[in-house]
Amino acid sequence: LLISGGKKWHQRRKIITPAFHFKILEQFVDVMESQGQILVKNLKKFDGMEFDVFPHVSLYAMDVICGNYN
């Protein structure tokens, strides 16, 4: 979906849109919150420093997707 364009993008977007409905996302609130707290704790280590946030956000996303409650 990220690299698709035109008709292909539109078709694929329509397919995944229901997965992001508010009622579906409610199921993930607890894990997003707990993982968000871990993410913030980890990012505070870099206070005032320049760093690449991408790996940290990627790990957060994977932990949410996998349902890790560390």
Side-chain angles (χ1 to χ4, degrees):
L1 183 63
L2 295 176
I3 59 173
S4 299
K7 186 177 179 180
K8 183 183 280 190
W9 174 86
H10 187 69
Q11 290 172 335
R12 290 180 180 174
R13 186 187 69 62
K14 285 175 67 175
I15 291 170
I16 68 164
T17 295
F20 294 97
H21 187 274
F22 181 72
K23 293 291 183 187
I24 300 293
L25 293 176
E26 280 182 339
Q27 301 171 32
F28 296 95
V29 169
D30 292 338
V31 72
M32 286 190 291
E33 180 182 359
S34 66
Q35 290 303 319
Q37 290 173 359
I38 294 168
L39 174 64
V40 169
K41 185 176 112 181
N42 290 335
L43 294 180
K44 283 183 178 181
K45 297 173 187 175
F46 299 97
D47 187 28
M49 298 168 46
E50 189 173 313
F51 69 100
D52 183 5
V53 72
F54 182 79
H56 302 279
V57 174
S58 296
L59 288 173
Y60 165 77
M62 289 304 298
D63 286 341
V64 169
I65 291 168
C66 296
N68 291 331
Y69 289 92
N70 297 333

